[in-house]
């Protein structure tokens, strides 16, 4: 069920319906989503909806959470991409980026010159 909410939220974001995406991502938390990924999706939607202050509050919560439990780096990649902090997103060391060439949450990364260097290093580009 959680994945369904994330997918629906992503579709809303793609259509520019950010408030709906935010509502769906919050609902995913209510039904048991992991706080780390759901929070990063919220950060992304808040940032892209023109609410960077809310995005930064959620980012601070995610950073605080990472001090006491494991937070996958992909959560920070998603958050930083939403905030258009591309260098921070590309600095993250994440092995779970199989969607990097197709997932909309990484669109801004794919446009950055450093991204092409990462692609070359991991064998996705020659």
């Amino acid at each position: 069920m959680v994945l369904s909410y994330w997918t629906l939220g992503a579709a809303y974001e793609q259509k520019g319906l950010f408030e709906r995406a935010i509502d769906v991502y919050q609902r995913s938390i209510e039904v048991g989503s992991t706080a780390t990924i759901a929070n990063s999706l919220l950060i992304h939607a808040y940032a892209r909806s023109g609410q960077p202050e809310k995005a930064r509050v959620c980012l601070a919560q995610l950073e605080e959470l990472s001090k006491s439990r494991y937070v996958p780096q992909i959560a920070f990649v998603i958050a930083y991409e939403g905030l258009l902090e591309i260098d921070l997103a590309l600095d993250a060391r994440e092995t779970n980026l199989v969607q990097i060439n197709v997932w909309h949450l990484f669109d801004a990364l794919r446009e950055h010159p450093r991204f092409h260097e990462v692609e070359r290093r991991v064998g996705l580009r020659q």
Side-chain angles (χ1 to χ4, degrees):
M1 177 174 279
V2 168
L3 185 56
S4 298
Y5 282 115
W6 292 354
T7 304
L8 181 58
Y12 283 142
E13 275 198 76
Q14 284 287 91
K15 294 183 85 166
L17 302 171
F18 297 107
E19 290 306 317
R20 286 188 181 175
I22 290 165
D23 289 342
V24 169
Y25 293 146
Q26 288 172 331
R27 179 75 178 125
S28 78
I29 295 169
E30 294 168 13
V31 298
S33 175
T34 59
T36 57
I37 300 301
N39 218 10
S40 69
L41 294 170
L42 275 172
I43 293 164
H44 194 277
Y46 278 135
R48 292 304 173 90
S49 71
Q51 301 177 71
E53 64 290 335
K54 288 185 179 180
R56 297 240 177 250
V57 167
C58 289
L59 179 58
Q61 292 169 346
L62 191 63
E63 289 168 341
E64 188 62 32
L65 183 62
S66 74
K67 294 176 184 176
S68 62
R69 66 181 267 202
Y70 173 71
V71 174
Q73 287 295 297
I74 196 163
F76 289 105
V77 173
I78 292 167
Y80 292 140
E81 196 277 351
L83 289 161
L84 296 177
E85 294 183 5
I86 305 306
D87 284 325
L88 289 174
L90 291 172
D91 286 343
R93 299 292 182 239
E94 175 60 60
T95 59
N96 187 24
L97 291 177
V98 294
Q99 323 89 325
I100 199 162
N101 278 331
V102 294
W103 203 16
H104 82 282
L105 295 171
F106 302 124
D107 285 349
L109 299 182
R110 287 191 293 275
E111 298 170 6
H112 196 278
R114 279 190 58 207
F115 176 80
H116 301 294
E117 179 56 32
V118 171
E119 280 185 307
R120 276 191 285 284
R121 279 198 325 257
V122 299
L124 295 175
R125 180 181 281 240
Q126 297 181 8

